[in-house]
Amino acid sequence: MPITRTAATFPPPVMEARRWLEGATFAPERPLINVSQAAPIDPPPPALRQAMADAVLTQDDAHLYGPVLGMPALRASLSTQINAHYGARTTPDQVAITSGCNQAFAAALSSLCAEGDEVILPTPWYFNHKMWLDMTGVNAIALPVAAGMLPDVDAARALITPRTRAIALVTPNNPAGVEYPTDLALAFFKLAQDHGIALIVDETYRDFDSRSGAPHPLFSQDKWDETFIHLYSFSKAYRLTGHRVGALVTSAQRLAEAEKFLDTVAICPGQIGQYAALWGLENLSQWVAGERDEILSRRAAIAGGFDTLRAKGWTLLGLGAYFAYLEHPFDISSADLALQLVKDAGILCLPGTMFWPDGSPEGARQLRIAFANLDTRGIADLYARLSALDL
């Protein structure tokens, strides 16, 4: 008997991890350290919240259906920002606003794939990408990362078949945190272009990339929009996670196909969130720069203090954006270790098994730490609790 689309995949990992807290209690002097989800815990800055309130009170269209592909002013403003950041020449008709970056991914795949097609995902993968492929009957082809937690172009080339429709990358990476080098991104673009498939690059965390300037030259390639599909999220930069505002940047022809999907799923992105994203683009560049500096300082604290864990047999596999990706030294699976960390150390994090195909031995040794919401004192406390483990 055929299974339903939702039965074809696994439960949402972050929600599963939250259920591990049921019945758990934590002493006030040793509160839970929650490094399970990569999301700001603070609301948007007051000036942005005021702008949102003003939109609610003064913009009548904020309460009505808007264009399926998003507010024209926001599409134009994001195009302008992309052009400045990447040295690109995008136009507003190549930009769509979506209800979060996950919806942008789903819309892109809906314009690319039929049931039984294939998409190459580097492992460890972003689990929501894998879930969407599962639920649409598209086969996720695992591309295990090589040295430095980076995917290998030659290994990807060997996986391409007549059913391959895309390669999907995330940089800075979720879950491993690593930033893909410029030449690697370009090599994947040329691979995809040579084979007539799409290269999807999810850049949700680009505002926290440690490099200055454009992280890749893909927007500058000849006929870039026939191959490259750029995904973005306003959630992290402006703390708008609850308002679900993302973006899909590709050819106008592909957006016409994606519009069919977007119209049937949500009709249009939320208007208040779009007003917020537009105000942020126009007014918060310096504020976002400060947010980036703070995240980079926390990243430095993760790297600078890791000797404490290294001496206990831990390995730092990847670091960047919101994430530290660790290999643990214990003779138990990370799936069991993550549960034990809640009970023994008051730490909630995600096991590597949530980012690899079932049975992959690599995932059993790995943990993802979403450190962005820990200050330096919190990072020191995290390290102290992990180093005290005796399993």
Side-chain angles (χ1 to χ4, degrees):
M1 180 177 177
I3 62 173
T4 65
R5 290 298 195 191
T6 54
T9 197
F10 43 85
V14 171
M15 296 300 102
E16 181 179 347
R18 285 186 184 179
R19 285 190 281 272
W20 301 342
L21 299 178
E22 293 175 3
T25 58
F26 305 95
E29 66 276 10
R30 198 169 188 256
L32 174 71
I33 297 177
N34 189 342
V35 285
S36 64
Q37 188 172 25
I41 57 174
D42 295 318
L48 178 52
R49 282 184 277 169
Q50 184 60 57
M52 296 167 73
D54 291 344
V56 169
L57 291 171
T58 65
Q59 301 291 339
D60 290 348
D61 65 350
H63 308 284
L64 307 175
Y65 286 142
V68 174
L69 294 181
M71 183 186 296
L74 179 55
R75 296 172 70 187
S77 186
L78 181 57
S79 174
T80 298
Q81 191 214 47
I82 287 171
N83 293 346
H85 187 65
Y86 294 90
R89 293 187 179 89
T90 66
T91 56
D93 68 342
Q94 294 171 314
V95 176
I97 305 303
T98 59
S99 299
C101 193
N102 274 359
Q103 191 188 66
F105 179 81
L109 266 294
S110 294
S111 75
L112 286 166
C113 296
E115 189 167 0
D117 283 342
E118 299 171 352
V119 172
I120 296 172
L121 298 183
T123 51
W125 50 39
Y126 173 43
F127 43 68
N128 282 159
H129 287 176
K130 175 61 163 63
M131 292 172 72
W132 180 253
L133 295 176
D134 290 346
M135 289 189 288
T136 53
V138 177
N139 295 315
I141 306 302
L143 171 63
V145 293
M149 302 300 291
L150 297 171
D152 181 76
V153 174
D154 290 333
R157 182 180 291 109
L159 296 176
I160 295 174
T161 75
R163 297 304 300 267
T164 305
R165 296 293 174 262
I167 301 169
L169 308 179
V170 183
T171 179
N173 187 252
N174 181 4
V178 295
E179 300 163 353
Y180 289 3
T182 297
D183 58 352
L184 181 64
L186 184 57
F188 269 102
F189 176 89
K190 293 186 180 302
L191 174 66
Q193 188 176 57
D194 289 347
H195 287 81
I197 62 177
L199 176 66
I200 301 170
V201 184
D202 182 333
E203 297 186 70
T204 291
Y205 300 95
R206 73 161 167 85
D207 297 290
F208 308 102
D209 197 304
S210 67
R211 299 165 290 184
S212 299
H216 60 70
L218 304 188
F219 282 110
S220 302
Q221 303 307 302
D222 186 42
K223 298 181 180 178
W224 69 267
D225 62 352
E226 295 180 6
T227 300
F228 174 40
I229 299 175
H230 168 77
L231 310 182
Y232 179 62
S233 171
F234 296 93
S235 293
K236 308 302 189 287
Y238 304 129
R239 302 180 186 167
L240 291 172
T241 52
H243 292 278
R244 313 309 307 125
V245 195
L248 168 62
V249 186
T250 182
S251 69
Q253 293 76 19
R254 185 169 306 285
L255 290 184
E257 293 301 304
E259 186 177 36
K260 302 172 186 177
F261 171 86
L262 295 168
D263 182 54
T264 57
V265 172
I267 299 180
C268 68
Q271 298 281 61
I272 304 301
Q274 289 189 86
Y275 271 107
L278 178 60
W279 196 91
L281 283 171
E282 293 175 344
N283 296 279
L284 289 181
S285 59
Q286 287 301 112
W287 182 84
V288 171
E291 292 288 285
R292 174 179 176 270
D293 288 345
E294 179 59 30
I295 293 298
L296 292 180
S297 72
R298 297 177 187 191
R299 169 181 171 169
I302 288 283
F306 195 76
D307 285 347
T308 302
L309 290 186
R310 188 176 290 111
K312 298 282 188 175
W314 294 75
T315 303
L316 182 60
L317 297 174
L319 178 63
Y322 275 34
F323 306 109
Y325 201 66
L326 311 182
E327 182 177 271
H328 70 80
F330 305 114
D331 290 330
I332 62 173
S333 170
S334 62
D336 298 320
L337 176 60
L339 280 166
Q340 196 158 342
L341 285 173
V342 174
K343 301 172 184 176
D344 294 352
I347 297 170
L348 182 66
C349 64
L350 298 188
T353 50
M354 290 180 168
F355 304 97
W356 287 84
D358 287 344
S360 295
E362 299 93 337
R365 295 294 307 278
Q366 297 168 358
L367 296 171
R368 189 191 77 173
I369 303 294
F371 68 82
N373 290 314
L374 296 180
D375 57 18
T376 54
R377 182 176 178 179
I379 291 168
D381 190 12
L382 172 73
Y383 279 173
R385 296 190 197 187
L386 289 176
S387 63
L389 290 172
D390 184 17
L391 302 178

